[in-house]
Amino acid sequence: MAEHTVADVVVERLRAWRVPRAFGYPGEAVAPVVRALDDAGGDPEFVPARHEETASFMATGHAKFTGGIGVCLATQGPTAVQLLNGLYDAKLASKPVVAIIGEDVSGPLGGAHQEIGLSRLFADVCNQFVRYVGTPAQVPSLLDEAFRTAAATRSPVCVVLPRHLQESAVPDLQPYATGLLTATPGEPLARVLPHDADLDAAAHLLGNGQRTAILVGQGARNAAPEVVALADRLGAGVAVSLLGKPVLDERLPFHTGVLGEVGTSAAAELMGGCDTLLLVGTNDPWTDYYPLPGQVRTVQIDIDGRRVGSRYPVDVPLVGDAAETLRALLTRVPDRPRPSWRATVEGSVDRWRGEAAGRADLPAEPLNPQLVLQELSARMPRSGAVAVDVGAVLYWYARHLRLPVGVNAQLCGTLGSLGCALPYAVAAKLAAPDQPVVALVGDGAMQLNGLAELITVAQHWHRWPDPRLVVLVLNTRDNSGAGRSRHLPADATRRHVDVPYAGWARLLGMHGVRVDRPDLVGAAWDEALAADRPCVLEAVVDPAVDLAPPQPAFVDLRGIVADGDAARMVRDRVLGTQVAVEADDLV
């Protein structure tokens, strides 16, 4: 019988924490754990990435798409350094990830070879928990503590496991054999609700608002019915953060779309005209698009009290779970719909939707990228997932792709790191291989790491019940990544080596479609989504299409410091002319 080693215990603890797979780039210092995973028969599975950075993005993507805990493996030195980008993504997005780092200092060079102080390296990104394992007996408890901490703090953590320990025999660890845990991966550890007095104050404030706006973030992902019910009760308009885009049905007539530079004019107008603001589960950084200081009274709901008031002044803070807090508010908020305000919001939404359609129809050379996303919107599968990269594709996704209800979409919205979408898509597809996945990528991100990670897709797709993983590459032949940028000289957009992205997919045994004619875009999407294998859809688009961010409401007044009498002056003079409120709305 083979000797039971620490590496085997690592696999057992991953299994006990219901980790389905670990992502990594295999190296000598973590080889015993990788071998133990290979011997585990896929429970859990080891998924080798082409690069350590993409492995950490896959782990974070797993946490984002599934709500569970992502796991990534690496070795000391440069391999460990490459994990940082994905781990910072997890930290800034408040997602639980466990990084297990193998360290080998037993060679003739000792600690000098690839020597990087791992405790200091991970001290910031994994500031909640960084531990070295000193003895075999410590492994089960340290790993359990790492997983508990990641789940409780919704953050990345790090365990450093020396190679010689991985191969060591373990003592009798019978207390851990049952796999009993004190926490459940990816779920809140307690019920969090605000105090009754705070709920009463919030209900009073919201009930007295005449023109209410609700800004919804990813923290409201399980609270869509409650958000809609409260919006109807108050006659409110709703906007979403970029991360909150999948939360609500985007067909709602009072849904103004995404707020911010990547968003819509309707969302900006909603913020400009409201006198009452409810923030639900959002830490949206586009503060230039929030109402002017002094314009509104504000309630904020967030399960993390550190975020309340961090972006905008708050009159009534409510620390609690979004769905439960909204249900408690609904028992207190009076039914006071404001038909005139709601009609104003819906008119703004109608104007924006017409404008968006007109933008997609504008001629471009050779393709308008807005048209490419609009054509996908009409064909988007009713289930599955969408992974979105950084760059101009974010603008077109935010404005032109209407997500079906229940389709999960994720992006690196807080860190904003290029090259996240394809690793995310791999993680989403491995988590739900019977569901379609669409990745939206620019050519810069595709050249950064996407071409390499298509090899990972090619390695796994034969086992997927639904083989559809469609990677849209917006080929601008422009590696500045900025289109008509306000920050780059004109000649900076002519430095691109045109890569045959669809051809590369075909070389790997997948499907590839290249389209450069507007009349063929719809047919190209039909072909890609009907393929019997993963597909790269390469759309040759015009980099000069203007990103056209919406103007923040009252942009000319953003320099005013509005407090006290000045705030009242801004509110009375500006808001008095912004929205005409009928008498029945003042009751």
Side-chain angles (χ1 to χ4, degrees):
M1 182 175 178
E3 189 176 51
H4 200 61
T5 68
V6 165
D8 296 320
V9 173
V10 171
V11 171
E12 291 165 3
R13 300 322 301 151
L14 297 182
R15 189 179 296 136
W17 280 90
R18 302 200 297 276
V19 173
R21 62 194 55 86
F23 305 92
Y25 190 87
E28 189 62 25
V30 78
V33 172
V34 172
R35 283 196 296 269
L37 286 167
D38 289 340
D39 292 340
D43 181 24
E45 175 187 17
F46 175 64
V47 179
R50 306 310 114 188
H51 193 275
E52 299 89 343
E53 180 185 65
T54 53
S56 62
F57 274 133
M58 289 175 188
T60 300
H62 174 88
K64 288 184 176 185
F65 278 107
T66 69
I69 299 177
V71 173
C72 54
L73 307 177
T75 63
Q76 86 267 22
T79 301
V81 173
Q82 303 289 1
L83 291 183
L84 291 180
N85 215 20
L87 294 179
Y88 270 109
D89 180 18
K91 179 180 180 179
L92 297 183
S94 296
K95 300 301 177 184
V97 173
V98 175
I100 299 175
I101 312 298
E103 184 180 60
D104 187 359
V105 294
S106 60
L109 296 178
H113 182 54
Q114 296 188 327
E115 182 176 10
I116 292 177
L118 295 176
S119 293
R120 295 182 65 185
L121 178 68
F122 290 101
D124 180 59
V125 68
C126 298
N127 63 305
Q128 297 290 340
F129 186 93
V130 181
R131 296 288 189 277
Y132 269 80
V133 178
T135 67
Q138 294 173 348
V139 173
S141 59
L142 276 179
L143 284 175
D144 284 354
E145 187 179 356
F147 276 95
R148 281 195 297 270
T149 303
T153 62
R154 302 183 301 279
S155 66
V157 301
C158 175
V159 175
V160 181
L161 184 58
R163 189 186 193 284
H164 72 276
L165 286 182
Q166 297 173 41
E167 299 178 308
S168 299
V170 295
D172 183 10
L173 301 173
Q174 190 62 36
Y176 295 93
T178 60
L180 296 177
L181 305 170
T182 60
T184 303
E187 296 180 1
L189 300 182
R191 185 185 186 199
V192 182
L193 271 175
H195 292 291
D196 286 341
D198 296 323
L199 289 166
D200 292 339
H204 179 76
L205 188 156
L206 294 170
N208 285 302
Q210 309 301 319
R211 303 181 298 278
T212 301
I214 303 176
L215 179 59
V216 174
Q218 65 172 338
R221 61 188 173 274
N222 296 320
E226 291 81 6
V227 171
V228 173
L230 186 59
D232 284 338
R233 183 164 295 185
L234 298 171
V238 175
V240 295
S241 70
L242 185 59
L243 296 175
K245 181 176 166 69
V247 171
L248 297 177
D249 186 346
E250 296 188 277
R251 298 169 297 181
L252 292 168
F254 52 88
H255 190 317
T256 63
V258 173
L259 181 69
E261 184 174 314
V262 302
T264 74
S265 58
E269 290 168 4
L270 175 69
M271 292 296 131
C274 66
D275 67 1
T276 305
L277 178 63
L278 172 61
L279 305 171
V280 184
T282 179
N283 194 35
D284 196 319
W286 298 111
T287 53
D288 282 354
Y289 289 84
Y290 282 46
L292 285 167
Q295 173 187 325
V296 299
R297 299 194 68 195
T298 304
V299 175
Q300 183 172 0
I301 300 171
D302 204 292
I303 200 167
D304 189 342
R306 295 171 296 181
R307 291 180 175 168
V308 176
S310 64
R311 300 292 188 188
Y312 193 78
V314 173
D315 296 284
V316 181
L318 298 177
V319 178
D321 172 78
E324 291 211 56
T325 301
L326 287 169
R327 285 195 286 269
L329 278 176
L330 283 166
T331 66
R332 294 168 164 84
V333 172
D335 190 7
R336 292 179 181 172
R338 309 294 184 180
S340 178
W341 172 239
R342 176 60 73 82
T344 299
V345 172
E346 292 181 0
S348 178
V349 171
D350 288 341
R351 287 193 301 275
W352 159 251
R353 290 176 179 171
E355 179 185 346
R359 290 185 185 185
D361 287 338
L362 291 174
E365 182 57 43
L367 288 180
N368 186 334
Q370 298 168 106
L371 173 66
V372 179
L373 271 295
Q374 180 173 280
E375 291 290 342
L376 170 61
S377 193
R379 296 166 171 81
M380 188 68 205
R382 302 294 99 183
S383 62
V386 177
V388 190
D389 222 296
V390 173
V393 69
L394 270 181
Y395 289 73
W396 318 139
Y397 157 77
R399 299 171 187 164
H400 296 281
L401 180 59
R402 184 177 292 179
L403 294 171
V405 176
V407 170
N408 195 355
Q410 297 291 341
L411 54 138
C412 187
T414 309
L415 180 63
S417 182
L418 196 68
C420 60
L422 199 46
Y424 281 7
V426 170
K429 191 65 181 179
L430 291 173
D434 59 340
Q435 298 287 321
V437 174
V438 177
L440 308 177
V441 184
D443 44 11
M446 200 63 184
Q447 291 188 23
L448 182 69
N449 57 33
L451 291 171
E453 289 308 328
L454 283 180
I455 300 172
T456 305
V457 176
Q459 179 183 359
H460 290 275
W461 74 266
H462 300 275
R463 295 179 290 162
W464 296 338
D466 183 335
R468 289 178 295 171
L469 193 164
V470 179
V471 181
L472 169 67
V473 182
L474 296 180
N475 184 2
T476 63
R477 297 160 294 177
D478 162 24
N479 67 353
S480 70
R484 186 176 294 172
S485 174
R486 294 165 291 175
H487 310 295
L488 291 173
D491 64 351
T493 62
R494 295 191 293 271
R495 301 174 182 168
H496 195 278
V497 176
D498 196 6
V499 172
Y501 303 101
W504 173 238
R506 289 192 291 268
L507 284 174
L508 292 173
M510 296 181 286
H511 196 57
V513 181
R514 188 177 192 270
V515 62
D516 58 4
R517 286 174 47 186
D519 57 315
L520 296 179
V521 171
W525 274 117
D526 290 337
E527 181 178 344
L529 290 166
D532 63 352
R533 61 197 60 209
C535 178
V536 170
L537 173 55
E538 177 187 350
V540 185
V541 298
D542 190 344
V545 173
D546 199 333
L547 299 179
Q551 288 291 313
F554 316 139
V555 66
D556 55 325
L557 297 175
R558 286 285 160 179
I560 294 178
V561 178
D563 56 357
D565 292 337
R568 283 188 290 276
M569 178 188 72
V570 171
R571 184 169 61 249
D572 295 343
R573 293 187 181 180
V574 181
L575 292 182
T577 60
Q578 176 71 13
V579 179
V581 182
E582 295 179 359
D584 63 353
D585 265 354
L586 299 176
V587 177

